[in-house]
Amino acid sequence: MAPTDPAGDPDPAGDPDPVRGPDAVGDPGRAGDSASAPGSGEPRTTADALVQLSFLVQGVLAGVAAEYDVSLIQMRLLGILRDRRPGMLELARHLGLDKSSMTGLVSRAEKRGLLRRERSPHDGRGVLVALTPEGRDLTARASAALDAEAAALTAGLDPAEGEILRTLAAKVLAAAPAGGLLPT
């Protein structure tokens, strides 16, 4: 059975601590097991830097999700639905979930009035998922909170460094496989 978060939604990472992550990438609380180069405070490798940044961002996302009484995976779902009406299979691929987990996730959000299922105009058997007005409102408020948190995280960067960060992030994302999932 897949690990779940406190709301009962699937946790595809299976990681109980979204900020620090698994010990394999360096637990800052353990002496001699740091993901940083000795004495430098900086990650040793690009992988270390990306993993540490990912944990930081996941922690921020989890905090904002809690503020709006949604799970982290529900927050990701709402973010995907901001500008599209995907089918269930596409959503499952984006979130790294199997069909039954995806169905449960959508059902819980639907019961809260955050989204609705619609028949696909192109396939009578297909179902599209869309935000409701309440879901769109919550998503807009949560997005604004995330923007504020991101501004706080990057406050130490000058405008040129901020632009470099956005450019490099966009380049990495553009090179990633469709859906952002690497083949296993």
Side-chain angles (χ1 to χ4, degrees):
M1 178 176 229
T4 60
D5 66 14
D9 290 322
D11 179 6
D15 183 13
D17 185 343
V19 177
R20 278 196 350 253
D23 289 340
V25 295
D27 180 347
R30 291 175 56 184
D33 186 21
S34 172
S36 300
S40 74
E42 293 187 15
R44 288 186 295 224
T45 66
T46 301
D48 286 341
L50 289 172
V51 168
Q52 289 178 33
L53 183 59
S54 171
F55 293 151
L56 179 64
V57 171
Q58 290 296 312
V60 168
L61 282 170
V64 171
E67 187 179 324
Y68 289 92
D69 196 30
V70 295
S71 67
L72 179 57
I73 195 79
Q74 285 174 331
M75 178 69 92
R76 292 178 59 207
L77 171 65
L78 296 173
I80 292 168
L81 296 174
R82 285 181 306 184
D83 59 358
R84 65 192 94 177
R85 294 179 334 159
M88 294 286 282
L89 184 59
E90 182 182 351
L91 274 175
R93 276 195 299 259
H94 275 299
L95 295 170
L97 300 176
D98 61 38
K99 185 179 175 183
S100 64
S101 295
M102 190 71 239
T103 300
L105 176 64
V106 167
S107 294
R108 285 185 293 282
E110 192 171 34
K111 284 179 187 171
R112 286 193 58 187
L114 300 175
L115 54 84
R116 67 179 175 275
R117 297 176 217 218
E118 304 172 347
R119 287 274 174 223
S120 170
H122 307 294
D123 176 3
R125 297 174 300 171
V127 174
L128 303 178
V129 182
L131 290 173
T132 62
E134 182 181 341
R136 190 160 300 287
D137 178 63
L138 185 144
T139 301
R141 289 184 288 123
S143 291
L146 283 169
D147 287 345
E149 292 289 338
L153 281 177
T154 58
L157 301 179
D158 65 39
E161 290 170 324
E163 184 60 33
I164 291 168
L165 178 62
R166 284 187 296 281
T167 299
L168 292 174
K171 191 171 185 177
V172 169
L173 291 169
L181 299 176
L182 299 175
T184 55

